[in-house]
Amino acid sequence: MVTSDFQRARRPEHKEQRREAILAAARLLATRDGVRSVTLGDIAGEVGVHKSALLRYFETREEIYLHLTAAGWRDWAAALHTALDGATGASTAEVAGTLAQSLHERPLFCDLLAHAPMTLERHVSLESVRAFKLSALDAVEDIAALLARVLPGLDSVSGRNVVATVTSLGATLWQASHPPDTLAQLYREDPRLGHAVVDFTPRLRLLTEAVLVGLLASADDA
Amino acid sequence: MVTSDFQRARRPEHKEQRREAILAAARLLATRDGVRSVTLGDIAGEVGVHKSALLRYFETREEIYLHLTAAGWRDWAAALHTALDGATGASTAEVAGTLAQSLHERPLFCDLLAHAPMTLERHVSLESVRAFKLSALDAVEDIAALLARVLPGLDSVSGRNVVATVTSLGATLWQASHPPDTLAQLYREDPRLGHAVVDFTPRLRLLTEAVLVGLLASADDA
């Protein structure tokens, strides 16, 4: 049933439905199993079609996840607007808490942030990576401007630097706090590795606040 | 000649020479071409032996690069001692400059820092990942204590957080400033993507200083 419906799609709105179904399946599997472990075959199986049918809608597995990364940027920007639009004059602690909590609530986006530069951007066409970069940069600019409005003294250049730092740390700390099975076993068994265990949200909040305070202090000096 | 010498190694010191020859070949190729593009076959070709000969010394390609990552941590810690051991009371700007410059001078280490959690730690045995983690954590503790000595007011917990932030940003910014060919072409051609181009060392120095200033400020408040 799913298969024949899927393959009969000819009208533009049906094609868009098929694309959405593929993206939804890819999102479900990566949220459950991690981005690295999902293959194009897994996504096709979840949608209920053959792999070749997917390739009429997306170039590669990586293009599918690059679309989800771009969607993740838009979703994150929207969530930050909801939390911070009325928060002009908020403290650095409050803004750092909002940034860290919003990434804590978006584990798939954190996973994708690590995979985008390492693998996803490298296995798609020039036009796909252009579309992704323009979409992600729009979100970065939007969030940078929001942060500059909420924290007087922070300019939009510093706002972009905050976004770069928070997403770099979010990606790194998320991977560190979701180790492979061998490492998870080591962390449980070997007390010498206690410091390697990362508590994602408090650490991200602490370091985000430090960057905000440090960038505001250098703005004061200028 | 290389091949027959290599395969005849039986005494422990000869085995150690073989291991060093493999590591040197892997280092050379990854420095030239990037970690992601070097295969076990490439390393074997550079050493002048068959792949199967390498597997008597290392489990996988990833174990070879995990060894080089651990060596990179030790080398980085030694370089920071040389630069900072006599620098007690240095400014945050000086310490941030030293940290950023020392990573700028270690492009292979920056590349490995991104690959270690994403791929290298995931394709080796429990004992290999344990040896790597213990070695890397030793270096982190060493550098954290050094930073705490140089910057009065920074405790060793904050020192560890500085190391985590600098290495996360170093890994991310290095990947961003060494894009794949498609992205490099886009950056040259599409002015809308100007903000995506990363100037590695100044950006790393700026954000490292912000984190140092922010962490010292929160220590003052406590």
Side-chain angles (χ1 to χ4, degrees):
Chain A
M1 291 270 281
V2 175
T3 305
S4 59
D5 276 6
F6 192 93
Q7 294 185 333
R8 253 188 274 119
R10 290 211 172 78
R11 293 164 58 185
E13 64 270 32
H14 290 172
K15 290 200 173 161
E16 190 50 37
Q17 284 172 10
R18 301 303 171 266
R19 284 175 59 90
E20 290 302 322
I22 295 166
L23 291 169
R27 185 185 288 117
L28 177 85
L29 293 173
T31 303
R32 192 185 69 193
D33 303 331
V35 171
R36 82 182 64 246
S37 66
V38 184
T39 66
L40 198 64
D42 295 334
I43 300 169
E46 183 68 26
V47 176
V49 299
H50 191 266
K51 266 202 299 192
S52 59
L54 260 57
L55 297 176
R56 283 186 271 134
Y57 297 89
F58 293 97
E59 298 163 9
T60 54
R61 164 194 178 279
E62 285 78 11
E63 197 208 342
I64 296 174
Y65 282 111
L66 215 49
H67 266 271
L68 290 177
T69 313
W73 274 104
R74 289 189 294 271
D75 166 64
W76 188 43
L80 292 174
H81 274 288
T82 301
L84 295 175
D85 269 341
T88 304
S91 68
T92 51
E94 287 163 337
V95 174
T98 298
L99 287 166
Q101 180 63 26
S102 62
L103 287 182
H104 166 80
E105 290 165 1
R106 287 167 176 77
L108 176 59
F109 183 49
C110 293
D111 197 9
L112 288 165
L113 282 172
H115 283 277
M118 292 298 284
T119 56
L120 308 181
E121 291 176 0
R122 292 168 192 272
H123 297 96
V124 297
S125 67
L126 189 76
E127 284 317 311
S128 287
V129 80
R130 188 203 307 270
F132 167 68
K133 280 284 168 188
L134 289 172
S135 182
L137 281 176
D138 268 356
V140 171
E141 293 297 313
D142 180 21
I143 297 168
L146 172 64
L147 294 174
R149 278 200 303 280
V150 172
L151 293 169
L154 195 84
D155 63 18
S156 63
V157 173
S158 291
R160 279 200 292 275
N161 275 325
V162 172
V163 176
T165 307
V166 172
T167 51
S168 167
L169 287 168
T172 305
L173 295 174
W174 197 90
Q175 295 294 324
S177 60
H178 293 80
D181 290 345
T182 47
L183 260 180
Q185 184 185 337
L186 269 185
Y187 291 162
R188 283 191 303 273
E189 292 174 1
D190 196 326
R192 295 171 297 174
L193 292 169
H195 282 152
V197 179
V198 168
D199 196 353
F200 178 85
T201 315
R203 180 85 81 106
L204 183 58
R205 187 194 52 68
L206 175 81
L207 293 173
T208 300
E209 188 178 356
V211 169
L212 289 171
V213 168
L215 289 174
L216 284 167
S218 70
D220 278 352
D221 291 347
Chain B
M1 288 271 283
V2 175
T3 304
S4 59
D5 277 7
F6 191 95
Q7 292 185 336
R8 252 188 275 121
R10 291 213 170 77
R11 292 164 59 184
E13 64 270 33
H14 291 172
K15 290 202 171 160
E16 190 51 36
Q17 283 172 11
R18 301 304 170 266
R19 284 175 59 89
E20 290 303 322
I22 295 166
L23 291 169
R27 186 185 285 116
L28 177 85
L29 293 173
T31 302
R32 192 185 70 193
D33 303 330
V35 172
R36 81 181 66 247
S37 66
V38 184
T39 66
L40 198 63
D42 296 334
I43 301 168
E46 182 68 26
V47 177
V49 299
H50 191 265
K51 265 202 302 192
S52 59
L54 260 57
L55 297 177
R56 284 185 270 134
Y57 297 89
F58 293 97
E59 298 163 9
T60 53
R61 164 195 178 278
E62 285 79 13
E63 198 208 341
I64 296 173
Y65 282 111
L66 215 48
H67 266 271
L68 291 177
T69 313
W73 273 104
R74 289 189 294 272
D75 166 64
W76 187 43
L80 292 174
H81 274 287
T82 301
L84 295 175
D85 269 342
T88 304
S91 69
T92 50
E94 287 163 337
V95 173
T98 298
L99 287 165
Q101 180 63 25
S102 63
L103 287 181
H104 166 79
E105 291 165 2
R106 287 167 176 77
L108 176 59
F109 183 49
C110 292
D111 196 9
L112 288 165
L113 283 173
H115 283 276
M118 291 300 283
T119 55
L120 307 181
E121 291 177 358
R122 292 167 193 271
H123 296 97
V124 297
S125 67
L126 190 74
E127 285 317 311
S128 287
V129 79
R130 188 203 307 272
F132 166 68
K133 279 284 167 187
L134 288 172
S135 182
L137 281 176
D138 269 356
V140 171
E141 292 298 313
D142 181 21
I143 297 167
L146 171 64
L147 294 174
R149 278 201 304 280
V150 172
L151 292 170
L154 195 84
D155 63 18
S156 62
V157 174
S158 290
R160 279 201 293 276
N161 276 325
V162 172
V163 176
T165 306
V166 172
T167 50
S168 167
L169 286 168
T172 305
L173 295 174
W174 196 90
Q175 295 295 324
S177 59
H178 293 79
D181 289 344
T182 46
L183 260 179
Q185 184 185 336
L186 268 185
Y187 292 163
R188 284 192 302 273
E189 292 175 0
D190 194 327
R192 294 171 296 173
L193 292 169
H195 282 151
V197 180
V198 168
D199 196 354
F200 179 85
T201 316
R203 180 85 81 106
L204 183 58
R205 187 195 53 67
L206 174 82
L207 293 174
T208 299
E209 187 179 355
V211 169
L212 289 172
V213 168
L215 289 173
L216 284 167
S218 70
D220 278 352
D221 290 347

